[in-house]
Amino acid sequence: MNQIKKIFCNICKSYNEITTLSQIYTSPNFFIFLLDIKENKNVNLILERKINLERFIELKNKSPTIYELSGLVFFDRNKNKYNSLCVHPVDKNWYLIDDENVQLCDINSFMNLYNTQINIYAPCILLYYGTIKK
């Protein structure tokens, strides 16, 4: 994660561009992303089923580099309530969980529905589980 900044140098009395590099030494098994976009309907967020953080991780052989989406909490603007979608760790099926029930859900259909009706579903929490690349 490179970032370009300008800092003031007391010796030359001018602003100079610097580049900072942030890396993860070892990565955790889970990444949890908290998003605050419930009220902002203009955010265009693309949900990724897999994310690759290999280029940001120092010890690639001892920590996860590929992360798969394993759960999310989203705000349904039509129903004005929160729901969650989680993968079961044993049967690997996805389940939609709301206040009243738990039902089997096709993750691909949900992702297509999300991408076409992005203003209806606002993701709030994304949970990614990491795997070690072999």
Side-chain angles (χ1 to χ4, degrees), residues 6 15 17 23 25 48 55-56 62 69 71 87 90 96 105 113 130:
K6 285 195 172 195
Y15 283 92
E17 262 188 17
Q23 286 190 294
Y25 187 68
E48 295 287 341
R55 65 182 182 177
F56 304 114
K62 295 187 179 179
L69 184 66
V87 66
V90 177
L96 179 64
C105 179
L113 183 65

Side-chain angles (χ1 to χ4, degrees), residues 13-74:
K13 305 292 184 205
S14 66
Y15 283 92
N16 298 298
E17 262 188 17
I18 63 162
T19 302
T20 61
L21 174 65
S22 298
Q23 286 190 294
I24 302 167
Y25 187 68
T26 59
S27 59
N29 289 334
F30 289 94
F31 264 112
I32 300 173
F33 297 96
L34 302 174
L35 309 170
D36 187 18
I37 60 173
K38 184 179 117 182
E39 299 301 323
N40 189 347
K41 295 182 181 180
N42 297 323
V43 174
N44 189 6
L45 176 71
I46 297 171
L47 289 178
E48 295 287 341
R49 294 277 306 275
K50 284 187 180 185
I51 55 175
N52 186 346
L53 300 178
E54 185 173 10
R55 65 182 182 177
F56 304 114
I57 299 170
E58 280 291 315
L59 296 177
K60 293 172 183 50
N61 59 342
K62 295 187 179 179
S63 59
T65 58
I66 307 292
Y67 287 83
E68 292 188 39
L69 184 66
S70 59
L72 63 105
V73 176
F74 63 94

